[in-house]
Amino acid sequence: MTKTGDGDRPARVEDVHELALSMPHVTVYPGTGDNPIYQVGGKSFVFFRNPRPDAVDPDTGERYPDVIVFWVESQADKLALVQDETSPFFTTPHFDGHASVLLRAARIGELTRAELAEVVQDAWLSRASARRAADWLRAHPPSTPTPRRTR
């Protein structure tokens, strides 16, 4: 999905849009403000959040204006992304029990474009129908063995 050599560069917010739109059967709905919601089969898999009281700067108490939400397949997948305190992914009590992780746009460059592509693809896979997911996985076999859902 990435251009040769392009996957090693730091990820950018524009990449989220490009990667989400590159997945099949995607519909974009306008969220509040200029925040798009990317959906597959009527289910959101990536969206840009408005500042909310649950995601704030611990030093200033100001609401983060740049939170992106990515769906994940399971709580185990969520924990794998948020347990490491150095990871740019996080969650808040508001998202307890919700199969998603949060990422501030200000920290997106801590991921490579290839890493971001995997997160977006996994988000899409977690929300796509079993048939669409299976079709996509057949056309895009993982380069390294990673557990994927097969429904």
Side-chain angles (χ1 to χ4, degrees):
M1 300 260 2
T2 60
K3 298 173 192 165
T4 304
D6 198 34
D8 293 335
R9 72 161 166 76
R12 301 184 293 239
V13 172
E14 305 85 65
D15 296 327
V16 176
H17 301 289
E18 179 185 321
L19 292 163
L21 287 170
S22 74
M23 299 304 292
H25 309 288
V26 170
T27 309
V28 183
Y29 289 94
T32 29
D34 293 328
N35 294 332
I37 300 167
Y38 295 95
Q39 295 187 340
V40 57
K43 297 178 181 179
S44 302
F45 68 98
V46 173
F47 72 89
F48 290 73
R49 227 174 153 217
N50 287 327
R52 301 286 307 258
D54 66 305
V56 298
D57 183 295
D59 297 326
T60 67
E62 290 185 40
R63 295 177 182 184
Y64 292 139
D66 61 345
V67 175
I68 308 166
V69 180
F70 299 90
W71 262 254
V72 294
E73 178 59 29
S74 67
Q75 284 299 115
D77 292 333
K78 178 178 186 166
L79 285 175
L81 291 170
V82 302
Q83 267 183 318
D84 179 358
E85 290 185 21
T86 64
S87 166
F89 294 101
F90 69 102
T91 189
T92 69
H94 178 76
F95 285 89
D96 284 352
H98 192 268
S100 62
V101 294
L102 310 175
L103 172 69
R104 291 196 59 211
R107 294 190 65 188
I108 201 165
E110 294 176 38
L111 301 172
T112 65
R113 188 177 190 285
E115 290 168 331
L116 179 63
E118 184 176 338
V119 171
V120 171
Q121 292 162 3
D122 285 349
W124 184 91
L125 286 165
S126 76
R127 304 292 282 169
S129 68
R131 183 178 187 183
R132 287 178 176 169
D135 288 347
W136 190 86
L137 286 169
R138 265 193 304 282
H140 304 88
S143 55
T144 58
T146 53
R148 303 265 188 192
R149 74 185 176 97
T150 55
R151 280 199 225 190

